[in-house]
Amino acid sequence: MTLEFTSRNCWEVYAAPKELKAMQALADRYIDFLSRCKTERETIAYVKERLQKAGYDESMKGGKVMRDLHGKSLFIARRGKAPLARGLRFIGAHADTPRLDLKQRPMQEQAGVGQAKTHYYGGIRKYQWLARPLAIHGVIVRQDGKSIAVSLGEGPGEPVFTIADLLPHLAKDQAEQPLAKVFDAERLNLIVAHRPLGKAGGGKKDTSGAAKEPIRAHIFKLLNDKYGVVEEDLYSAELQAVPAGPARYVGLDSALIGGYGQDDRICVFCALEALLDAQNIPEHTQCLVFWDKEEIGSEGSTGAKSRFFEYCIEDLIAAWEPKSRLSTVMLATKGISADVHAAIDPDWQELHEKLNAALIGHGPCFCKFTGSRGKYEANDAHPEYVAWLRGLLNRQGIPWQMAELGKVDGGGGGTVAMHLAAYGMDIIDCGPPVLSMHSPFELAGVADLYATTLAFGAFLRA
Ligand code: MN
Ligand code: MN
């Protein structure tokens, strides 16, 4: 009997050639997924495509169900042998990520460049978005209802966009200001053009506005040529500036994955892989929901505070088991709020309390409670449920760890867990540890990706 607990390094647990091969294949698929999915819409479209291939459809009558809301959040269910009244095995994750949204009227011209003004979405450190290549993804919806998908800056030869940073020679005053004040959100302006509209730009002399702001006029001409839109169409657009380019392996050993949006797309990916991997009909009905808007407080019709999940369960009950009650199903459900956890930053170790901190490489991390200032706004999972979960993973030899988000009173954060706990289900936060969370280049471990997928699979089958 081991009296003291030590978490295990996944690289040591999964050292067999067969496992390393499966790990590598999973990581390759994940890098492709991360490189292709930079917005919640692109993520949901990717997931739907893979589900369709696996026989999922919109009908609640079948045993493999998927239903999306506005293309931004997705409900998935796979029917089990047991009645719904015995509860679901539920995993919820979020598909939205911190970024710079273009304002509704974004385009301006000043000092020889055309810029798109932005309004940041979620918790970003503003300096990380300066002087780096950015892409624009999103949709423009015309008043006739036609939605135009936009993806600019990802192709190898395609131009990118960027926000210029101040040169050090003129940053003397700026360098003396506190970090919270020094980066002004109204200066996060994306450079989108430089050449004025004119004869060379292909326009007529009297094009509206061209004389006064010829670069701005040129932007609208280019957008019109490419997408057939005018400035007013941008009022009904959602355009997001995100880091340009693919995700990459990191390190001499390629043991880490660097890329944008791993909070929380890594959990979306692990949960999807775990669901699709399962061959036999499960005991309990398996249910995944991928939400939008988590990074801005889970508000909105596509966020976890909305009734979308509940409506889907109601329809599932009506189709499969009309005599069961929503409350019975929810109270019997076991859930995982799948979200990433902050790994101990090697250069900022003093911000973590090491007995209760997550190590990258040591597998999925449970977080019994999140919140801040004395567990305020936390779902604090019940010990009976924690015991059930660790027993489950231990029996299958899957490494796991448990941590809090930093030192007490050192900050904090929240997830979707508390909104699900409101239904009375058992729920806990669990996900892989990441470094550089919320940055344009987040880092996750290849072995953690693998162990988390196995853990989610074990949970769904339990
Ligand atoms: Mn998250
Ligand atoms: Mn986050």
Side-chain angles (χ1 to χ4, degrees), residues 72 83 132 177 210 219 254 313 318 326 398 417:
K72 297 165 115 191
R132 60 172 299 137
Q177 287 173 41
I219 293 170
S254 297
I313 296 293
L326 178 73
I398 299 167

Side-chain angles (χ1 to χ4, degrees), residues 94 96 98 263-264 294-295 339-340 414 437-438 442:
H94 66 93
D96 63 316
D263 170 10
D264 188 27
E294 193 275 348
E295 296 293 359
D339 211 338
V340 296
M437 195 196 289
H438 279 212
E442 299 176 310

Side-chain angles (χ1 to χ4, degrees), residues 166-369:
L166 186 57
L167 65 170
H169 316 66
L170 295 182
K172 189 177 154 290
D173 285 352
Q174 189 202 39
E176 284 157 12
Q177 287 173 41
L179 186 63
K181 296 236 172 88
V182 74
F183 297 102
D184 173 9
E186 290 291 355
R187 285 190 225 267
L188 293 176
N189 298 325
L190 197 64
I191 293 180
V192 292
H194 168 54
R195 181 170 155 186
L197 181 69
K199 278 194 195 108
K204 290 183 211 127
K205 263 238 151 100
D206 59 348
T207 304
S208 60
K212 239 172 43 205
E213 296 186 306
I215 301 172
R216 190 171 185 272
H218 195 194
I219 293 170
F220 291 125
K221 170 147 194 333
L222 292 169
L223 286 177
N224 190 263
D225 289 349
K226 194 167 172 68
Y227 297 115
V229 297
V230 296
E231 185 182 18
E232 191 185 308
D233 291 318
L234 299 182
Y235 281 103
S236 50
E238 272 184 358
L239 296 172
Q240 314 176 0
V242 296
R248 310 280 293 265
Y249 285 106
V250 173
L252 288 170
D253 52 6
S254 297
L256 295 165
I257 293 162
Y260 165 68
Q262 302 201 59
D263 170 10
D264 188 27
R265 286 190 196 113
I266 192 167
C267 289
V268 170
F269 183 80
C270 291
L272 176 69
E273 286 279 338
L275 180 85
L276 293 179
D277 186 49
Q279 302 299 325
N280 304 325
I281 296 188
E283 183 62 24
H284 289 265
T285 290
Q286 301 172 338
C287 178
L288 309 184
V289 178
F290 301 139
W291 275 291
D292 176 29
K293 303 273 194 281
E294 193 275 348
E295 296 293 359
I296 55 168
S298 295
E299 311 285 353
S301 65
T302 50
K305 276 189 202 168
S306 81
R307 303 280 175 264
F308 173 59
F309 171 51
E310 188 178 326
Y311 296 159
C312 290
I313 296 293
E314 278 177 349
D315 288 351
L316 212 58
I317 291 172
W320 292 359
E321 209 174 297
K323 284 195 179 129
S324 287
R325 299 182 61 198
L326 178 73
S327 57
T328 314
V329 176
M330 291 302 206
L331 284 164
T333 289
K334 290 192 184 332
I336 284 180
S337 158
D339 211 338
V340 296
H341 198 89
I344 297 180
D345 186 320
D347 295 316
W348 294 94
Q349 297 189 40
E350 69 275 18
L351 298 178
H352 303 268
E353 185 271 286
K354 289 210 191 135
L355 285 175
N356 294 281
L359 259 179
I360 193 148
H362 283 229
C365 176
F366 290 109
C367 186
K368 189 170 174 294
F369 52 86

